[in-house]
């Protein structure tokens, strides 16, 4: 991997390069050993029975600028070997074909800086559009387009001169989606020709998408002529377009050895320019499409539609209908950092599996901005079923307030979902009522996670400096008979600033679960390895409220007739005297929680921890440090703790892509597996468990119970 990076300097981009290199090295290790499962030998429900294609739209465009050399370079390092490179073909004024996201250039390049006075206005699909257009620039205007990869290394004088002279004038590709990292927006991401991309990377498959053939024809530029010419030196495997006339014009000119033609459907209400029919109308006549195409490319909504609230509706029969007509079906619009249907709980892997491994059909390929995640879905997580390799004996998935990414934390539904999703250990954060009843809730402040604000107890507010500097309504101010009338509420950690909400259909309907009921639930589960009980504020409750948390927790275990002897019981706290107390009075495993981010620890401190604790919980940043939203290094904390035979559990993992450094490619699975394979942690504490056996009901969308 290091050699690959050294031989490909375009992989490096200023500030982010060293952080990304670290992640790629870890990831390469993960990809080689991540699962025992290999690509499924089971027949796929694709048209041919072969695995779905992974089609990298503009390369790895989820992290790097779409259609940049860097984006294309990254695909081979992170995807399946047969990944297909997608190029949106645009024509310049002198008829040169370039790989660029659109015929308009403002959004995806710095063209306005290089040519501020070249803005123009044209009718594009019948709509007056003001922008910078590729047809207004010759290939020479775009500079550096003919500086082939390696030319600088070979000391090609003209290329060196062009490069340094145009460093502030070159039209470079930049991120077209502003929520993505700006770290790779620089003038070295020059626009490349179709020939350059094909000859430089020699992809297993090369897909050219022609979006605006009619527009180019109106301006006396022939896309067909360019494609026929370039096909003499470049192998085109797939050719797609949303225009029927394009296929009528070019179809017979390629002959039998030409590319596979794929008709691209746009949104159902959009109008196809050459027939004036809507795409919704054209989709009802797939036998006609088959007369000139071997496949169709459709938005995801053609297959799994969503309702107005962004929940999945039952899947359509489009894939089966197209397969009956002899057409392969490719689905577009996959990206880890786009809004997903709430049913997927912000897990992009779950979305891919819904399209390729649902027990009823499989698409023949997916067009993705994040080909790594698509590759994992195809090669690692599809068709697992009962053949899924079991969890390693020393590694545990531990819930955080149950599956609190799907349902109100610490509710029956959250705990049941965590068990269903394959959690090894479910957790209960202990809070106490004024009459000494222990129950599960993330915070002693009932304003966090319950509907107490709408209850008659709103006047019970108080300030407890020992717990928090701000006022709250604390559980120890209410009797259990009062607390159990409250209802749990969803929490949305990324609603402010990011507008990301969790399962909004889930209202405040779930009851608070007492520790006794939690233990009974755990006892009934045959799949659970054990439970984790978290206790805090013990000294305050004992000294100021007269509540002995240790005594009440141990009594609840006794009342529940002791937890199943085959299950592990773990007691967690950040307070060492509390853990010492539990250690004296019970046989349970003791887990010390390190509250602050720590990158290092001396041996003497570990020896002290070892005296009372059997394991340690640390934060994610204590294992991998970050800077500017990229990884900046791996600490030796896990290694040092392991030297003293202390297992290390890491908190808290979330599915929302904004919770992860850029290095993890907006994929929670990559993040978790990096901690497992790269750092060797013994367990992860997560709000959304990743299913071990991701099998979906073929008749229904993957659903949350609350979605009805």
């Amino acid at each position: 991997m290091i050699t690959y990076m050294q031989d490909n300097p375009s992989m490096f981009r200023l500030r982010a390069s060293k952080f990304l290199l670290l992640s790629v090295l870890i990831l390469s290790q993960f990809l080689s050993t991540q699962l025992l499962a290999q690509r499924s030998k089971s027949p796929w429900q694709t048209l041919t029975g072969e695995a779905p294609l992974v089609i990298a739209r503009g390369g790895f465009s989820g992290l790097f600028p779409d259609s940049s050399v860097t984006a294309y370079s990254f695909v081979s390092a992170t995807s399946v070997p047969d990944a297909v490179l997608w190029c949106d073909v645009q024509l310049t004024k002198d008829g040169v074909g370039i790989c660029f996201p659109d015929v308009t250039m403002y959004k995806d390049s710095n063209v306005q800086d290089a040519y501020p006075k070249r803005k123009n206005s044209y009718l594009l699909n019948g709509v007056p559009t003001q922008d910078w257009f590729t047809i207004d620039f010759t290939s020479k205007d775009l500079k550096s387009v003919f500086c082939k990869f390696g030319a600088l290394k070979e000391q090609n004088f003209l290329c060196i001169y062009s490069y340094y002279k145009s460093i502030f004038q070159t039209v470079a590709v930049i991120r077209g989606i502003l929520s993505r990292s700006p770290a790779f927006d620089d003038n070295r991401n020059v626009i490349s020709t179709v020939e350059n991309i094909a000859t430089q990377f020699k992809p297993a498959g090369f897909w050219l998408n022609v979006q605006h053939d009619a527009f180019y024809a109106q301006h006396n530029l022939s896309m067909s002529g360019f494609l026929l010419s370039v096909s003499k030196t470049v192998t085109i495997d797939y050719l797609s377009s949303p225009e029927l006339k394009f296929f009528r014009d070019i179809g017979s000119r390629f002959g039998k050895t030409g590319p596979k033609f794929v008709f691209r459907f746009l949104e159902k209400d959009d109008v196809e320019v050459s027939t004036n029919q809507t795409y919704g109308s054209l989709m009802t006549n797939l036998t006609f499409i088959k007369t000139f195409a071997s496949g169709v490319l459709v938005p995801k909504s053609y297959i799994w539609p969503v309702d107005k609230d962004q929940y999945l509706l039952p899947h359509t029969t489009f894939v089966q209908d197209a397969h009956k007509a002899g057409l392969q079906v490719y689905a577009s619009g996959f990206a880890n950092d786009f809004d997903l249907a709430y049913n997927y709980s912000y897990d992009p892997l779950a979305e891919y599996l819904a399209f390729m491994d649902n027990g009823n059909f499989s698409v023949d390929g997916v067009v993705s901005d994040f080909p790594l995640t698509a590759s994992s879905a195809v090669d690692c997580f599809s068709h697992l079923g009962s053949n899924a390799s079991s969890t390693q004996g020393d590694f545990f998935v531990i819930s955080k307030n149950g599956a609190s990414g799907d349902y109100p934390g610490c509710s029956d539904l959250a705990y049941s979902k965590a068990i269903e999703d394959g959690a090894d250990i479910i957790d209960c954060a202990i809070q106490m009522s004024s009459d000494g009843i222990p129950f599960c809730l993330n915070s002693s402040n009932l304003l966090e996670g319950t509907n107490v604000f709408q209850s008659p107890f709103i006047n019970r507010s108080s300030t407890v400096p020992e717990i928090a500097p701000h006022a709250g309504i604390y559980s120890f101010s209410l009797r259990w008979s009062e607390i159990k009338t409250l209802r749990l509420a969803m929490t949305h950690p990324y609603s402010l600033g990011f507008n990301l909400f969790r399962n909004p259909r889930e209202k405040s309907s779930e009851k608070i679960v007492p520790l006794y009921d939690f233990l009974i639930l755990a006892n009934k589960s045959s799949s659970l390895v054990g439970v984790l009980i978290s206790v805090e504020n013990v000294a305050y409750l004992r000294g100021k409220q007269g509540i002995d948390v240790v005594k009440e927790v141990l009594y609840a275990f006794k009342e529940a007739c002791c937890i199943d002897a085959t299950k592990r019981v773990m007691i967690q706290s950040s307070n060492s005297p509390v853990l010492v107390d539990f250690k004296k009075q019970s046989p349970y495993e003791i887990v010390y929680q390190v509250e602050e981010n720590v990158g290092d620890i001396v041996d003497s401190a570990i020896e002290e921890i070892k005296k009372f604790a059997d394991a340690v919980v640390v934060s994610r940043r204590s294992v991998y440090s970050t800077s500017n939203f990229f990884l900046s290094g791996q600490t030796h904390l896990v290694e040092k703790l392991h030297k003293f035979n202390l297992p290390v559990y890491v908190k808290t993992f979330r599915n929302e892509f904004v919770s992860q450094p850029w290095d993890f490619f907006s994929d929670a699975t990559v993040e978790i597996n990096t901690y497992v394979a790269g750092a060797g942690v013994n367990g992860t504490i997560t709000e959304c468990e990743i299913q071990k056996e991701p099998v979906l009901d073929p008749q229904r969308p993957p659903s949350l119970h609350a979605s009805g």
Side-chain angles (χ1 to χ4, degrees):
M1 181 62 70
I2 294 175
T3 300
Y4 177 84
M5 293 290 188
Q6 291 171 339
D7 290 345
N8 292 266
S10 62
M11 295 293 289
F12 294 93
R13 283 296 181 265
L14 296 177
R15 297 162 291 173
S17 61
K18 57 185 178 183
F19 310 135
L20 187 60
L21 175 58
L22 170 66
S23 179
V24 171
L25 290 172
I26 294 170
L27 183 60
S28 65
Q29 177 188 3
F30 156 61
L31 286 174
S32 63
T33 61
Q34 56 177 317
L35 289 178
L36 296 178
Q38 300 296 319
R39 175 171 292 188
S40 174
K41 301 300 190 295
S42 304
W44 290 84
Q45 292 177 293
T46 56
L47 181 64
T48 64
E50 298 295 320
L53 284 177
V54 174
I55 305 155
R57 191 186 70 85
F60 206 120
S61 55
L63 183 61
F64 303 102
D66 188 335
S67 305
S68 66
V69 169
T70 313
Y72 285 121
S73 298
F74 209 62
V75 174
S76 62
T78 56
S79 307
V80 290
D82 57 352
V84 174
L85 295 188
W86 166 290
C87 164
D88 283 295
V89 184
Q90 314 301 338
L91 294 179
T92 62
K93 188 174 184 178
D94 50 347
V96 173
I98 58 175
C99 291
F100 191 79
D102 199 4
V103 65
T104 58
M105 303 184 70
Y106 173 76
K107 183 172 71 74
D108 296 285
S109 77
N110 65 345
V111 66
Q112 74 279 11
D113 297 326
Y115 297 101
K117 297 181 179 180
R118 299 279 284 273
K119 191 175 185 179
N120 213 335
S121 180
Y122 295 106
L123 278 178
L124 185 61
N125 293 335
V127 178
T129 304
Q130 283 194 341
D131 209 297
W132 285 259
F133 291 80
T134 63
I135 61 171
D136 291 328
F137 299 91
T138 66
S139 55
K140 184 178 179 181
D141 292 331
L142 299 180
K143 307 287 186 185
S144 296
V145 73
F146 293 113
C147 282
K148 294 182 183 294
F149 186 79
L152 292 178
K153 182 177 179 181
E154 297 166 4
Q155 301 298 303
N156 182 303
F157 175 77
L158 291 178
C159 204
I160 292 174
Y161 176 75
S162 173
Y163 177 81
Y164 285 108
K165 182 176 182 294
S166 64
I167 192 69
F168 298 109
Q169 293 177 298
T170 299
V171 179
V173 287
I174 61 174
R175 58 185 172 135
I177 298 174
L178 295 181
S179 60
R180 292 175 174 171
S181 172
F184 305 98
D185 291 350
D186 65 71
N187 283 358
R188 285 174 286 182
N189 283 315
V190 297
I191 296 173
S192 296
T193 64
V194 172
E195 295 98 321
N196 280 351
I197 297 301
T199 56
Q200 178 176 333
F201 299 108
K202 299 179 176 58
F206 196 32
W207 185 308
L208 300 185
N209 179 62
V210 177
Q211 199 72 6
H212 299 290
D213 176 62
F215 175 79
Y216 288 115
Q218 291 167 7
H219 297 275
N220 300 315
L221 290 169
S222 173
M223 181 64 76
S224 297
F226 164 74
L227 293 172
L228 290 168
S229 175
V230 78
S231 67
K232 297 174 182 177
T233 56
V234 169
T235 299
I236 306 171
D237 299 286
Y238 301 88
L239 187 59
S240 61
S241 177
E243 299 181 11
L244 289 172
K245 185 177 183 299
F246 169 76
F247 288 112
R248 284 200 296 263
D249 292 345
I250 201 171
S252 60
R253 301 172 69 182
F254 262 112
K256 295 182 179 180
T257 59
K260 291 185 177 181
F261 291 162
V262 180
F263 181 65
R264 184 175 191 179
F265 283 85
L266 303 183
E267 296 298 332
K268 293 179 182 179
D269 292 335
D270 289 344
V271 176
E272 196 280 320
V273 293
S274 61
T275 63
N276 208 33
Q277 294 186 59
T278 65
Y279 289 96
S281 173
L282 289 170
M283 70 175 285
T284 64
N285 194 359
L286 294 176
T287 53
F288 165 67
I289 304 297
K290 177 59 181 174
T291 61
F292 63 87
S294 64
V296 291
L297 173 64
V298 297
K300 294 183 296 187
S301 59
Y302 276 54
I303 301 167
W304 280 105
V306 296
D307 63 19
K308 61 182 178 61
D309 297 321
Q310 204 63 19
Y311 284 87
L312 288 176
L313 297 170
H315 66 74
T316 69
T317 61
F318 182 86
V319 174
Q320 296 96 319
D321 294 342
H323 282 173
K324 287 178 183 177
L327 290 165
Q328 292 182 302
V329 180
Y330 306 96
S332 65
F334 289 89
N336 298 359
D337 56 355
F338 289 174
D339 287 342
L340 304 180
Y342 289 116
N343 309 68
Y344 301 128
S345 303
Y346 294 99
D347 180 7
L349 184 60
E351 181 182 40
Y352 285 109
L353 294 173
F355 281 81
M356 64 179 64
D357 184 24
N358 57 47
N360 201 31
F361 64 84
S362 172
V363 296
D364 300 274
V366 291
V367 180
S368 174
D369 291 11
F370 293 83
L372 167 64
T373 307
S375 297
S376 297
V378 173
D379 255 12
C380 302
F381 290 94
S382 289
H383 300 161
L384 291 182
S386 59
N387 295 320
S389 55
S390 61
T391 303
Q392 299 175 16
D394 294 331
F395 177 80
F396 299 109
V397 175
I398 305 170
S399 74
K400 175 64 175 176
N401 304 320
S404 52
D406 294 325
Y407 297 107
C410 301
S411 65
D412 271 334
L413 272 180
Y415 288 128
S416 297
K417 184 66 162 56
I419 295 170
E420 175 190 333
D421 284 351
D424 300 298
I425 295 171
I426 57 173
D427 71 305
C428 172
I430 297 295
Q431 311 304 334
M432 302 296 298
S433 66
S434 63
D435 49 350
I437 303 299
F439 60 92
C440 304
L441 194 65
N442 188 53
S443 172
S444 59
N445 185 356
L446 299 174
L447 289 171
E448 301 174 15
T450 78
N451 68 342
V452 71
F453 193 76
Q454 288 84 35
S455 76
F457 314 123
I458 188 65
N459 61 347
R460 305 279 186 94
S461 177
S462 63
T463 301
V464 182
E466 294 90 339
I467 296 177
H470 49 78
I473 302 175
Y474 290 95
S475 64
F476 43 80
S477 300
L478 281 72
R479 298 185 304 276
W480 173 245
S481 60
E482 296 172 318
I483 289 173
K484 68 181 183 180
T485 65
L486 301 176
R487 293 295 178 265
L488 296 168
M490 284 295 298
T491 56
H492 308 280
Y494 300 108
S495 58
L496 296 178
F498 300 102
N499 205 34
L500 298 177
F501 294 90
R502 294 175 168 180
N503 193 12
R505 283 184 180 170
E506 177 56 43
K507 306 301 181 182
S508 301
S509 60
E510 293 299 303
K511 297 180 180 179
I512 294 174
V513 177
L515 176 58
Y516 175 88
D517 289 356
F518 170 84
L519 295 175
I520 296 299
L521 173 66
N523 265 335
K524 289 180 180 179
S525 171
S526 60
S527 64
L528 278 181
V529 173
V531 296
L532 183 147
I533 308 300
S534 176
V535 291
E536 299 294 344
N537 306 318
V538 174
Y540 170 80
L541 290 171
R542 181 181 288 157
K544 297 294 182 69
Q545 300 294 330
I547 300 171
D548 190 332
V549 178
V550 176
K551 175 184 174 182
E552 297 300 339
V553 167
L554 294 177
Y555 182 75
F557 272 94
K558 181 179 178 180
E559 284 293 295
C561 298
C562 300
I563 198 161
D564 185 342
T566 64
K567 288 182 168 58
R568 302 175 67 157
V569 177
M570 306 164 76
I571 306 294
Q572 172 187 301
S573 180
S574 62
N575 188 289
S576 57
V578 171
L579 295 177
V580 170
D581 202 358
F582 270 105
K583 192 176 184 71
K584 290 178 180 178
Q585 299 188 52
S586 74
Y588 304 141
E589 295 181 46
I590 303 301
V591 181
Y592 179 58
Q593 175 177 301
V594 182
E595 289 188 302
E596 63 275 6
N597 296 326
V598 292
D600 197 6
I601 188 170
V602 297
D603 287 356
S604 59
I606 302 177
E607 289 171 348
E608 287 299 313
I609 294 172
K610 182 71 175 175
K611 291 178 181 178
F612 62 85
D614 304 302
V616 177
V617 169
V618 300
S619 67
R620 293 180 301 161
R621 288 192 178 184
S622 294
V623 180
Y624 289 110
S625 56
T626 61
S627 176
N628 297 321
F629 303 104
F630 282 91
L631 298 184
S632 57
Q634 179 179 346
T635 71
H636 297 287
L637 183 64
V638 176
E639 178 185 350
K640 286 189 172 183
L641 291 167
H642 280 173
K643 187 173 69 173
F644 287 83
N645 296 317
L646 282 171
V648 180
Y649 308 119
V650 180
K651 64 166 190 174
T652 300
F653 292 89
R654 291 167 168 163
N655 280 1
E656 288 92 343
F657 65 91
V658 295
S659 71
Q660 303 140 16
W662 297 114
D663 304 70
F664 298 130
F665 314 117
S666 304
D667 186 337
T669 305
V670 173
E671 181 182 30
I672 287 175
N673 280 287
T674 301
Y675 278 81
V676 176
V681 304
N682 301 93
T684 54
I685 299 174
T686 75
E687 293 181 344
C688 294
E689 277 65 48
I690 297 177
Q691 294 187 12
K692 298 174 185 175
E693 299 183 13
V695 179
L696 305 172
D697 183 337
Q699 300 304 319
R700 299 185 60 195
S703 61
L704 302 170
H705 299 299
S707 67

